[in-house]
Amino acid sequence: MEQAPPDPERQLQPAPLEPLGSPDAGLGAAVGKEAEGAGEESSGVDTVFVVVVVLFTFVQMTHNNFWLKKIEISVSEAEKRTGRNAMNMQETYTAYLIETRSVEHTDGQSVLTDSLWRRYSEFELLRSYLLVYYPHIVVPPLPEKRAEFVWHKLSADNMDPDFVERRRIGLENFLLRIASHPILCRDKIFYLFLTQEGNWKETVNETGFQLKADSRLKALNATFRVKNPDKRFTDLKHYSDELQSVISHLLRVRARVADRLYGVYKVHGNYGRVFSEWSAIEKEMGDGLQSAGHHMDVYASSIDDILEDEEHYADQLKEYLFYAEALRAVCRKHELMQYDLEMAAQDLASKKQQCEELVTGTVRTFSLKGMTTKLFGQETPEQREARIKVLEEQINEGEQQLKSKNLEGREFVKNAWADIERFKEQKNRDLKEALISYAVMQISMCKKGIQVWTNAKECFSKM
């Protein structure tokens, strides 16, 4: 039976979150006694690159249910373009071709490929939206906008063809990370990013995600003023800082090694030149010296391909360098929720105290209202009853608000920690594979060096 296509009108809002993992202690436990006292809580193509296709299961939404559809995603080309920006100034930028293709088809129908072009800034917009709507998720990072940790042979120009190719691979990896995520893959804005070229930005802006984004000043304020931070998230924040520091140092060391290794290999080209010149003046030894020189030339030129392969391993490390900031984003959101909860508990406790003072007629703390009473006399019973009634309504609202924030906080912690555990498994697996592959590549490189000198030795032996 043919599946119904997704309804465009239902593609505008994110899918409801599903509970993940086992429940954890919520934010309310961190409020402590204070909360208890307060109640319940376009131009020509510049460069075309090879297509890298990965298969994944993408979830689309119909009117009443989810249905699975297997789709291939690839960022297959990069193209340099020139156009005008929002300030009507001419600029040069790179556009990337995203191709999606369904692999499920029946009745002998041909498989159609959808394609559209996106700029890097549109990838940034997609990620900004995901950060706001899914604050409990470690959102995959984008590849670097400008080259970092470069060594002398690499260009820091963001229009350099080699850099654009590595960024193309990184952008494809970014999309595949989202597509393989159990929650992010269900998002309608992500689906439209892959399928709707025109008016996509307007569709994203209509969600109002910018208004829901937390300000940096508010997040900084929460970081320093929260009284009862969750130790798990505090430790995670410290871990993300240390992870970023360690990977940064590793990338710097690797860049220095690449610089020196490149020089060592290229200097071997001098052996080739000297042996070739020497062979010209020797009769019996000439052929052996010429062959040895050829092996030295091959050895010297091999470093270009070796270091090009190394860059891909460096990019894998850089992804987790940027993942560290994604971890901190989850921690900052938790701090904001904790701070809001503490402020709500504090405000509720203050209103309860005011109500108690009005009922008993005793003032336990200094207040402007108390000074006013002393200067201008006591309130009438009717005024006091009216104020008590207003405070009781505010207390009731505050208790409901505190309870709601507690429930929201518990749900956030449960979902966030489940996704963090998922991320840890992914990180351990990816970094293990990357480091093993890097070690294997270094072993292979050393073996090739040994083989070159073994061949040179044989050439010398035949002289």
Side-chain angles (χ1 to χ4, degrees):
M1 182 176 179
E2 187 177 354
Q3 300 284 4
D7 180 6
E9 294 299 323
R10 295 179 65 84
Q11 303 289 338
L12 300 180
Q13 295 299 326
L17 302 181
E18 296 181 357
L20 297 175
S22 57
D24 269 311
L27 297 182
V31 176
K33 295 181 180 179
E34 183 177 20
E36 290 179 12
E40 283 189 57
E41 45 174 78
S42 176
S43 64
V45 174
D46 181 55
T47 312
V48 179
F49 299 106
V50 179
V51 179
V52 180
V53 179
V54 180
L55 182 66
F56 76 103
T57 300
F58 186 79
V59 185
Q60 298 181 9
M61 170 159 290
T62 63
H63 284 286
N64 300 315
N65 66 318
F66 288 107
W67 57 280
L68 299 180
K69 182 178 180 182
K70 290 187 181 296
I71 290 180
E72 292 176 347
I73 287 183
S74 66
V75 179
S76 56
E77 297 180 19
E79 178 180 293
K80 185 184 293 185
R81 294 182 175 183
T82 302
R84 293 193 174 277
N85 58 21
M87 303 295 293
N88 201 31
M89 298 176 63
Q90 188 159 318
E91 63 173 348
T92 301
Y93 62 91
T94 304
Y96 299 89
L97 180 64
I98 302 174
E99 294 184 334
T100 56
R101 183 172 70 92
S102 171
V103 297
E104 292 182 347
H105 55 98
T106 57
D107 303 328
Q109 296 178 349
S110 60
V111 178
L112 298 178
T113 299
D114 293 325
S115 62
L116 48 78
W117 294 90
R118 295 287 186 206
R119 295 183 60 174
Y120 185 89
S121 59
E122 292 175 288
F123 284 86
E124 288 181 311
L125 182 60
L126 171 63
R127 187 171 188 273
S128 297
Y129 159 82
L130 294 175
L131 283 170
V132 172
Y133 268 98
Y134 303 96
H136 64 285
I137 287 176
V138 185
V139 178
L142 288 166
E144 57 194 350
K145 193 167 186 175
R146 290 177 176 77
E148 298 180 23
F149 304 102
V150 298
W151 50 286
H152 82 276
K153 186 177 178 292
L154 292 183
S155 172
D157 181 10
N158 63 348
M159 290 295 177
D160 177 74
D162 291 336
F163 173 72
V164 171
E165 162 64 353
R166 294 199 309 276
R167 189 163 68 178
R168 179 197 67 78
I169 295 173
L171 291 173
E172 181 174 88
N173 185 62
F174 168 72
L175 294 180
L176 294 173
R177 290 285 194 198
I178 297 174
S180 62
H181 193 283
I183 293 178
L184 298 181
C185 72
R186 300 169 182 261
D187 186 81
K188 274 71 65 182
I189 294 299
F190 174 55
Y191 172 72
L192 294 177
F193 181 85
L194 300 174
T195 58
Q196 177 184 306
E197 186 163 15
N199 300 322
W200 178 79
K201 288 184 179 179
E202 289 74 10
T203 302
V204 180
N205 292 329
E206 285 174 5
T207 65
F209 81 95
Q210 296 98 330
L211 300 176
K212 298 178 182 180
D214 299 314
S215 70
R216 293 186 179 182
L217 183 61
K218 183 179 178 182
L220 185 64
N221 184 51
T223 299
F224 288 103
R225 298 187 64 181
V226 66
K227 297 178 181 178
N228 299 293
D230 189 316
K231 187 176 185 300
R232 292 169 300 174
F233 285 91
T234 302
D235 292 343
L236 180 64
K237 195 174 182 180
H238 291 159
Y239 168 76
S240 66
D241 292 338
E242 292 171 358
L243 178 65
Q244 187 174 44
S245 177
V246 167
I247 295 180
S248 295
H249 290 154
L250 185 61
L251 288 167
R252 289 191 185 96
V253 170
R254 183 259 157 191
R256 289 198 298 267
V257 170
D259 258 330
R260 297 186 182 184
L261 197 61
Y262 182 81
V264 169
Y265 268 69
K266 289 303 181 183
V267 166
H268 277 71
N270 293 334
Y271 279 130
R273 178 178 57 80
V274 172
F275 285 150
S276 296
E277 292 174 354
W278 191 0
S279 67
I281 63 174
E282 299 287 350
K283 293 182 178 180
E284 293 81 4
M285 299 169 56
D287 291 342
L289 290 170
Q290 185 70 34
S291 297
H294 171 72
H295 289 304
M296 293 296 112
D297 289 337
V298 171
Y299 182 69
S301 62
S302 67
I303 190 61
D304 297 296
D305 291 336
I306 291 172
L307 293 182
E308 184 177 341
D309 291 339
E310 273 199 16
E311 286 305 315
H312 295 298
Y313 293 112
D315 288 338
Q316 290 177 344
L317 291 175
K318 286 180 183 179
E319 181 186 19
Y320 281 93
L321 177 73
F322 304 141
Y323 255 124
E325 176 56 31
L327 284 173
R328 285 196 291 270
V330 176
C331 295
R332 285 196 297 269
K333 182 61 180 180
H334 177 267
E335 288 174 339
L336 272 171
M337 296 180 73
Q338 173 70 22
Y339 179 68
D340 288 342
L341 181 63
E342 291 178 356
M343 291 299 99
Q346 183 177 320
D347 183 61
L348 181 59
S350 175
K351 284 184 169 56
K352 282 193 170 187
Q353 181 179 326
Q354 292 176 43
C355 186
E356 181 186 347
E357 290 174 352
L358 283 173
V359 171
T360 61
T362 58
V363 179
R364 291 187 295 175
T365 58
F366 172 81
S367 67
L368 181 61
K369 185 64 181 176
M371 291 295 296
T372 305
T373 299
K374 289 183 178 180
L375 291 173
F376 300 103
Q378 294 288 338
E379 295 175 312
T380 64
E382 292 79 10
Q383 290 175 324
R384 186 165 62 252
E385 288 297 325
R387 285 190 60 207
I388 290 174
K389 184 177 180 181
V390 170
L391 281 171
E392 286 176 345
E393 291 176 354
Q394 292 176 347
I395 288 170
N396 184 55
E397 291 177 2
E399 288 175 343
Q400 294 300 319
Q401 184 183 40
L402 188 63
K403 183 178 180 180
S404 175
K405 287 182 179 293
N406 268 310
L407 292 174
E408 182 183 358
R410 290 193 181 100
E411 187 69 12
F412 176 87
V413 171
K414 178 180 67 175
N415 291 337
W417 213 252
D419 195 66
I420 288 166
E421 291 299 324
R422 178 204 60 81
F423 166 76
K424 287 179 179 178
E425 292 179 5
Q426 170 195 301
K427 171 187 66 70
N428 294 342
R429 180 177 63 253
D430 290 350
L431 291 181
K432 177 182 177 180
E433 291 177 359
L435 293 172
I436 289 175
S437 299
Y438 183 75
V440 169
M441 189 188 72
Q442 296 297 320
I443 293 170
S444 175
M445 180 178 65
C446 294
K447 287 181 177 178
K448 288 179 181 178
I450 292 172
Q451 187 60 49
V452 165
W453 281 105
T454 300
N455 293 338
K457 176 186 174 184
E458 293 177 358
C459 292
F460 298 148
S461 300
K462 294 176 181 178
M463 290 191 304

